[in-house]
Amino acid sequence: YFAELNHEYGCETNNNFDFVDINSKKVIEFNGDNVHGNPCLYNDNDVLFHGITVKQKKKEDLIKISKAQKNGYKVLVIWEMDYKNFPNEVIKECLSWLRSTI
């Protein structure tokens, strides 16, 4: 299941994820650079557009991922900048990861 028109899947948590394969219990989370505070672009104390610091957002994201992992899901995080700079490689990485038995 994927986030089509913001109908994201929650992985048995109160959070939503961008792509979820329920059968293999794998999640791909696509982090927007400005929304999630890409560490290549921001410092921990920088304030993101929604008024929280990068450090706070990192904490929120780690909690979200931990909830999915506690429910048996494996999570792959993709950063917007990586996709923009290397789209073919990122797509190959995602497909390879989804096909793996990890």
Side-chain angles (χ1 to χ4, degrees):
Y1 190 86
F2 60 96
E4 182 177 8
L5 300 175
N6 290 327
H7 294 96
E8 298 177 335
Y9 187 75
C11 299
E12 303 160 49
T13 71
N14 291 331
N15 302 103
N16 293 323
F17 294 88
D18 296 311
F19 178 91
V20 178
D21 181 341
I22 298 169
N23 296 321
S24 68
K25 295 191 99 170
K26 290 186 177 181
V27 172
I28 298 175
E29 186 68 349
F30 187 89
N31 281 354
D33 294 330
N34 299 324
V35 174
H36 292 268
N38 186 330
C40 294
L41 303 173
Y42 294 92
N43 295 312
D44 278 350
N45 294 324
D46 289 339
V47 177
L48 300 170
F49 77 93
H50 40 64
I52 66 170
T53 65
V54 171
K55 186 175 181 177
Q56 290 169 304
K57 187 61 180 163
K58 276 186 197 176
K59 184 177 178 181
E60 288 178 6
D61 288 344
L62 286 174
I63 291 168
K64 177 180 176 179
I65 289 170
S66 292
K67 286 180 182 179
Q69 291 171 330
K70 285 179 185 175
N71 285 315
Y73 288 85
K74 295 170 185 74
V75 181
L76 174 66
V77 176
I78 301 295
W79 283 99
E80 176 185 2
M81 182 170 70
D82 295 333
Y83 178 75
K84 283 183 174 179
N85 290 330
F86 308 102
N88 292 331
E89 289 82 355
V90 168
I91 290 169
K92 287 178 187 176
E93 177 187 5
C94 291
L95 291 172
S96 175
W97 186 75
L98 287 168
R99 292 177 180 141
S100 74
T101 57
I102 298 174

